[in-house]
Amino acid sequence: MMPEKIRDITAEEATEKISALSAEIEKHNLLYHGKDAPEISDAAYDALFRELQMLEAEFPELIKEDSPTQKVGALPEASGFSKVKHLAGMLSLSNVFSDEEVTDFLTRVRRFLNLPEGERIAVFAEPKIDGLSCSLLYEDGKLVTAATRGDGETGEDITANVKTLKDIPQALPADAPQKIEIRGEIYMRKDDFLKLNETQAAESGKIFANPRNAAAGSLRQLDVQVTAKRPLKIFTYALGYCSAPIAETQEGIAKKLAAWGFPVTENARLCDGLEDILRYYEETQSQRGEMPYDIDGIVYKVNRLDLQERLGFVSRAPRWATAHKFPAEQAETVLEKISIQVGRTGTLTPVAELTPVNVGGVIVSRATLHNEDEIKRKDVRAGDHVIIQRAGDVIPQIVRADLSKRKKDAQEFIFPATCPECGSPAVRKEGEVARRCTGGLYCPAQAVERLKHFVSKAAFDIDGLGAKIVQEFWEEGFIKTPADIFRLPQREGMDLENRDGWGALSVKNLFAAIEQKRVISLDRFIYALGIRQVGQATAKRLAIAYTSLDHWIEAMEKAQDRGGEDYAALLNIEDIGAAVAEDILAFFADPHQRAILNDLKVELTLQDYVSNADMSSPVAGKTVVFTGKLETMGRNEAKAKAESLGAKVAGSGSAKTDYVICGADAGSKRKKAAELGVTILSEQEWAQLISG
Ligand code: IVH
């Protein structure tokens, strides 16, 4: 079922953010690798990359094949495996999708074998595992080769990788044939997949879209150590070449494999005829959601091996088997109403409130409608009968409305132009799909999240006032805006001492902690405001550039004139491009935000930015620009060194620049510096300057 809030941010917001981040990262990849002219620091690049990874970890269904995370820095999917010829071809399976087609399958089998009509055929049925097929060749009881399916005739040798799977026996008992190919499916459990993605995100590794991709990526590793760490599993279900028979039926093969220590699916069943088969199919389908691994259908195999032999193959698929695929998980229900959810960043997301319905074993009562265009495109209206769909863990979606059942008086949905939470205008910027509430901190839906950010570790970091307490205090009305935090000690009627788990001492400590944070450094303060795209690094750069709150406010007011000097100066700050500048200026242009800022100013004492840089160095206070490819150190290191010596690093040169340090291939920035009469230094000259 869908949670109250569609995860922490909506899928719509995530989609937008993922595509913006991907584009940004691609741009920097090109600048860095293609042009050797990076515009942002490695740390800033890493931060973008990690943000993308985190989002993708939370929304694996939104990962695009061409996402930067799937290429750059991602584990290489190896192609350096040697080829192996299968002793017996690895075939594919025909598919059926309906009960009628299952009937046809059985009829074909019966006709081929010339069995009387109505004679039941014993069929061994088992789940179709969504993984990668693998062939294990044992000779003289030893595992000698493991291979992928490849084109069915020749696969890739993945023996070393497969040997890391703990549930594959390395040796067979003495009764096993001298030479035998055992076929199975390598897969990853759903819970292991989620855990793996979390670890990958934490370690900046590749994020996988689904368990199948994770299994494939984990198996096709040239470095076996990597495969060894991945939670891969196998189910075995068939034989390839076999030098001596081991059973007379498919069920017998499964039993033998299990006896030899191979994992086989626990819920396989020997079915007796059509009704039995269809019952098994229905039962398994209804359990699909709760199964620990992904399955995409049921495989039916004629049980007797002598019959299999007679039936043989047609165009690379056996006549004796077929796969009965599950349909996409869909259901019809009524769309009761469309409500609007306001996310942390103010995005208004339309949500379909549905008459609860069972979709593939999961009760669904809400589904996302993404945005206003999507509602128009699908033309869904309150009261409509709608088809909803779930695929894997994806948030339920509305496929379409059944127009034949639409009531005559069904009204088209009018997307609100104001925020349903706070009444502020909800605006849609040109080129964006999302409509956003402009209420910012004034909007209750955004306020709590922003308050949590305000007190977070890198911001005000008030002891005893974590996210949980902020949420409670907000709900109880003690804290509505950031400045309320500083008025808490004077507030009456809260009776904090008698709260669960509190006492006089904790209240005293909390108030002392609040008092202590009345004095705060400018960079922390800027970060705490939660302006979009202004993270810690940018906040610090703003603090360095403007040194005091009053200066900053004054400059941002003047910078509203996009043609003026102050705007140009803002853009000249390292890591601040037009998009970030717009978010900063929007903050200052918003009366709600200004009220909050003014309110805070009354409560706080702002410390001007004091760098802990070495202010006695010859470059202290100077503004420097690095350009071109540096030889002796990376860009990041160069910038950090300059900043530690008290220099300000700017993104591009202006008349205020003191030095432009040019590496190899310094292009336009060097030319501009020369025109402006700014001192140009080579990397060596810069090194000399700072060492003296
Ligand atoms: S039997 C001769 N049983 O599905 C056919 N296949 O679409 C032998 N698969 O390549 C295959 N679960 O990788 C069989 N329980 C199962 C299966 C299964 C998954 C895969 C297998 C095959 C593909 C065909």
Side-chain angles (χ1 to χ4, degrees):
M1 198 172 10
M2 209 161 53
E4 263 310 295
K5 287 264 170 186
I6 307 175
R7 310 198 197 173
D8 195 18
I9 65 168
T10 64
E12 182 53 36
E13 288 170 331
T15 309
E16 238 185 79
K17 190 96 206 187
I18 284 175
S19 98
L21 281 167
S22 301
E24 178 91 11
I25 291 169
E26 286 301 354
K27 182 183 102 183
H28 293 303
N29 280 345
L30 189 69
L31 286 166
Y32 189 93
H33 297 289
K35 307 200 168 147
D36 275 340
E39 279 182 1
I40 61 169
S41 66
D42 290 1
Y45 178 88
D46 290 346
L48 289 173
F49 201 86
R50 271 185 64 78
E51 191 177 353
L52 179 60
Q53 282 187 318
M54 298 302 232
L55 270 170
E56 290 185 338
E58 204 178 331
F59 293 88
E61 67 275 13
L62 299 180
I63 303 176
K64 296 227 181 79
E65 256 172 46
D66 60 354
S67 164
T69 61
Q70 307 295 299
K71 305 180 272 190
V72 187
L75 300 163
E77 266 178 27
S79 55
F81 294 103
S82 55
K83 301 270 183 268
V84 207
K85 198 158 163 36
H86 303 301
L87 300 183
M90 282 181 89
L91 303 153
S92 55
L93 287 173
S94 59
N95 290 322
V96 295
F97 294 90
S98 66
D99 295 359
E100 290 72 46
E101 286 181 308
V102 179
T103 315
D104 292 348
F105 164 69
L106 293 176
T107 308
R108 272 198 311 275
V109 167
R110 209 178 288 116
R111 291 220 181 112
F112 192 92
L113 297 172
N114 207 9
L115 298 175
E117 201 130 314
E119 174 158 331
R120 295 187 182 197
I121 301 163
V123 165
F124 192 68
E126 59 184 333
K128 185 168 186 301
I129 317 297
D130 201 5
L132 302 117
S133 45
C134 175
S135 184
L136 309 168
L137 173 65
Y138 288 81
E139 278 180 15
D140 301 317
K142 298 252 160 18
L143 173 60
V144 288
T145 318
T148 62
R149 176 164 181 256
D151 62 6
E153 300 297 324
T154 309
E156 284 177 326
D157 187 338
I158 48 165
T159 314
N161 308 62
V162 166
K163 281 191 169 166
T164 67
L165 269 73
K166 286 167 208 67
D167 49 2
I168 294 183
Q170 303 285 327
L172 299 184
D175 68 328
Q178 188 266 330
K179 217 181 227 192
I180 182 170
E181 277 178 328
I182 294 169
R183 305 268 160 89
E185 198 84 352
I186 294 182
Y187 69 97
M188 196 178 284
R189 283 173 59 109
K190 295 181 200 169
D191 52 358
D192 284 335
F193 153 72
L194 293 173
K195 261 187 259 159
L196 173 64
N197 261 359
E198 270 172 36
T199 325
Q200 289 291 97
E203 293 170 2
S204 301
K206 177 169 174 167
I207 305 293
F208 299 102
N210 53 46
R212 190 180 182 283
N213 278 2
S218 300
L219 199 57
R220 299 190 80 250
Q221 289 288 333
L222 282 179
D223 181 355
V224 176
Q225 296 308 318
V226 178
T227 307
K229 288 194 202 115
R230 301 288 172 79
L232 291 172
K233 297 202 163 329
I234 192 169
F235 277 125
T236 52
Y237 46 63
L239 299 183
Y241 174 81
C242 193
S243 61
I246 63 164
E248 289 182 352
T249 60
Q250 192 68 40
E251 188 188 29
I253 292 177
K255 283 195 173 137
K256 195 65 155 199
L257 290 175
W260 287 347
F262 291 94
V264 292
T265 53
E266 60 260 39
N267 32 16
R269 188 184 299 168
L270 183 60
C271 298
D272 188 21
L274 183 69
E275 291 74 29
D276 217 11
I277 286 178
L278 296 180
R279 205 174 309 123
Y280 173 75
Y281 174 84
E282 293 298 332
E283 270 175 37
T284 314
Q285 194 187 354
S286 70
Q287 291 158 10
R288 182 184 180 189
E290 285 98 71
M291 286 174 76
Y293 41 83
D294 279 341
I295 63 172
D296 57 353
I298 303 290
V299 182
Y300 305 132
K301 299 168 194 171
V302 169
N303 194 39
R304 273 171 50 184
L305 300 187
D306 61 327
L307 297 185
Q308 286 190 6
E309 181 87 24
R310 281 172 58 196
L311 283 157
F313 304 91
V314 55
S315 65
R316 306 174 58 76
R319 269 194 205 90
W320 47 266
T322 195
H324 191 178
K325 291 288 196 74
F326 292 138
E329 296 180 292
Q330 288 194 341
E332 186 182 317
T333 189
V334 173
L335 169 59
E336 293 178 354
K337 71 170 199 189
I338 296 172
S339 58
I340 299 286
Q341 198 173 75
V342 185
R344 178 158 48 104
T345 55
T347 306
L348 269 54
T349 304
V351 175
E353 310 275 357
L354 308 162
T355 305
V357 62
N358 187 328
V359 194
V362 176
I363 305 295
V364 174
S365 57
R366 314 177 92 209
T368 177
L369 279 165
H370 299 293
N371 54 54
E372 56 186 309
D373 291 353
E374 182 81 353
I375 301 182
K376 278 215 183 76
R377 200 170 62 73
K378 292 195 171 143
D379 182 26
V380 284
R381 305 178 184 190
D384 277 354
H385 284 252
V386 289
I387 311 298
I388 55 168
Q389 177 170 308
R390 265 183 72 235
D393 271 343
V394 183
I395 297 163
Q397 303 206 335
I398 296 207
V399 183
R400 62 185 166 84
D402 183 345
L403 296 183
S404 69
K405 293 186 184 161
R406 172 170 288 169
K407 293 211 187 81
K408 281 206 186 68
D409 58 352
Q411 299 286 314
E412 215 177 297
F413 181 73
I414 300 178
F415 208 91
T418 53
C419 171
E421 298 278 345
C422 72
S424 300
V427 297
R428 183 170 168 183
K429 282 198 207 147
E430 221 179 281
E432 287 192 5
V433 282
R435 191 174 275 277
R436 284 205 172 82
C437 163
T438 53
L441 281 171
Y442 172 78
C443 175
Q446 298 173 62
V448 203
E449 296 305 326
R450 296 268 202 104
L451 280 166
K452 288 179 188 167
H453 171 81
F454 189 84
V455 299
S456 65
K457 272 258 163 305
F460 271 75
D461 189 22
I462 298 171
D463 262 354
L465 196 65
K468 199 167 146 269
I469 304 288
V470 166
Q471 177 83 40
E472 286 175 23
F473 282 10
W474 188 82
E475 279 164 15
E476 289 165 60
F478 302 158
I479 301 177
K480 285 290 180 196
T481 74
D484 288 343
I485 294 170
F486 300 95
R487 291 189 283 259
L488 267 186
Q490 291 86 49
R491 201 185 157 100
E492 283 169 14
M494 291 189 294
D495 199 19
L496 293 183
E497 282 161 36
N498 292 318
R499 286 173 86 87
D500 247 10
W502 287 58
L505 185 65
S506 37
V507 177
K508 191 171 149 238
N509 287 344
L510 173 64
F511 289 174
I514 291 174
E515 282 311 319
Q516 206 196 344
K517 293 292 160 79
R518 269 186 204 279
V519 181
I520 187 113
S521 67
L522 181 60
D523 54 327
R524 263 182 192 265
F525 178 77
I526 295 176
Y527 173 70
L529 292 174
I531 301 172
R532 263 215 251 152
Q533 303 201 66
V534 178
Q536 269 176 283
T538 307
K540 195 162 176 176
R541 295 217 150 95
L542 286 166
I544 295 174
Y546 297 101
T547 60
S548 80
L549 180 60
D550 288 330
H551 274 149
W552 184 43
I553 295 176
E554 194 190 327
M556 294 305 98
E557 280 167 355
K558 290 194 194 146
Q560 298 289 343
D561 168 12
R562 306 298 196 266
E565 240 179 62
D566 288 273
Y567 179 69
L570 176 62
L571 279 189
N572 199 32
I573 296 172
E574 181 70 3
D575 285 349
I576 296 188
V580 180
E582 280 317 306
D583 282 330
I584 298 171
L585 296 176
F587 180 91
F588 279 88
D590 177 350
H592 288 135
Q593 314 280 11
R594 291 303 300 269
I596 283 160
L597 189 58
N598 291 340
D599 202 13
L600 273 170
K601 267 180 74 180
V602 178
E603 299 294 336
L604 302 174
T605 307
L606 264 295
Q607 288 172 326
D608 291 355
Y609 184 79
V610 202
S611 85
N612 41 19
D614 171 10
M615 298 314 276
S616 65
S617 94
V619 295
K622 306 283 190 211
T623 300
V624 303
V625 171
F626 289 96
T627 183
K629 196 170 183 311
L630 302 180
E631 307 270 318
T632 57
M633 55 173 111
R635 268 289 169 99
N636 264 346
E637 194 184 342
K639 280 190 223 165
K641 178 79 187 159
E643 284 174 347
S644 77
L645 295 171
K648 289 183 201 176
V649 180
S652 66
S654 71
K656 287 182 193 155
T657 310
D658 295 288
Y659 302 115
V660 172
I661 299 103
C662 295
D665 306 327
S668 60
K669 289 186 189 175
R670 181 191 190 113
K671 207 168 143 228
K672 189 172 161 200
E675 280 163 16
L676 290 167
V678 175
T679 311
I680 296 174
L681 299 179
S682 69
E683 205 177 329
Q684 288 70 27
E685 286 167 334
W686 165 253
Q688 254 167 24
L689 175 67
I690 59 177
S691 68

